[in-house]
Amino acid sequence: GENVEQHPSTLSVQEGDSAVIKCTYSDSASNYFPWYKQELGKRPQLIIDIRSNVGEKKDQRIAVTLNKTAKHFSLHITETQPEDSAVYFCAARLRGSTSGTYKYIFGTGTRLKVLA
Amino acid sequence: EADIYQTPRYLVIGTGKKITLECSQTMGHDKMYWYQQDPGMELHLIHYSYGVNSTEKGDLSSESTVSRIRTEHFPLTLESARPSHTSQYLCASTRLRGGEQFFGPGTRLTVL
């Protein structure tokens, strides 16, 4: 079935170090892969996304890489700061049951803790 | 300001009650979604809609219904609440061609 696997479930890093979170999706028709950050008690917010026609995208300290052959994409955070501590979710967009519709399958989340 | 609004923010009810969670967006988006999320855990798709009078079921749809009579409004109804429904419910929307999902603040539901 359709699913997105995300690893690790928890990640602790020292401030200034890099953090990498990995996701694998099952549906080869997926063509859009967003990453969301959710702070405690708040709503998820998009931090970066990538489309299937691109292999890598970077925005300041955040980057995402996509390997379509392996159906694998990763989030990279460099120079981590305490405010990066949150739960991060990957997602894959799939076609819905009706033509022209889309749904999103989310990973299980990674709880990132940046130690000062 | 364009945003997604959910009411109520918190709700405590007894088992067997029928409840409707409200979601409205002023972003002009066509697609809307409902997710169930336990704190810090993954989001499970309940229902989604790609326009007025058009809805689709997600993975957790069997115990709830939705309607989409107006573009900006997408309410979720639990016909008979159970303790297993205790969770946070998030509403989201995207533009017609998909892309970034914008989430509402959520409704935290407790069923006693």
Side-chain angles (χ1 to χ4, degrees), chain A residues 3-4 7-8 18-20 22 37 46 60-63 71 80 85 94 98 103 110-112 116:
Chain A
N3 72 298
V4 175
H7 300 281
S18 296
V20 180
K22 300 180 178 181
K37 175 183 180 182
L46 182 79
Q60 299 183 336
R61 297 187 296 110
I62 297 173
K71 291 189 282 189
T80 54
S85 296
L94 313 173
T98 302
K103 61 181 179 180
T110 296
R111 189 175 301 276
L112 174 65

Side-chain angles (χ1 to χ4, degrees), chain A residues 32 34 91-93 102-106, chain B residues 33 35 45 94 98-99 101:
Chain A
Y32 173 72
R93 187 180 71 182
Y102 297 95
K103 61 181 179 180
Y104 298 76
I105 305 298
F106 282 78
Chain B
Y33 304 78
Y35 294 92
L45 181 64
T94 68
Q101 282 194 310

Side-chain angles (χ1 to χ4, degrees), chain B residues 29-103:
Chain B
H29 288 167
D30 294 285
K31 298 181 189 291
M32 297 186 73
Y33 304 78
W34 274 106
Y35 294 92
Q36 181 180 350
Q37 183 192 32
D38 291 329
M41 305 298 285
E42 69 183 293
L43 287 78
H44 296 279
L45 181 64
I46 309 173
H47 292 277
Y48 60 110
S49 166
Y50 47 93
V52 171
N53 294 326
S54 298
T55 62
E56 299 274 355
K57 296 180 184 294
D59 298 330
L60 297 181
S61 61
S62 62
E63 299 172 356
S64 61
T65 59
V66 290
S67 63
R68 189 87 183 277
I69 299 172
R70 303 198 319 262
T71 300
E72 62 273 17
H73 194 215
F74 190 40
L76 173 73
T77 298
L78 296 178
E79 296 294 335
S80 180
R82 298 205 307 263
S84 61
H85 292 139
T86 294
S87 188
Q88 175 167 251
Y89 292 82
L90 290 168
C91 181
S93 70
T94 68
R95 296 188 311 271
L96 182 60
R97 293 195 178 275
E100 179 179 358
Q101 282 194 310
F102 293 86
F103 286 86

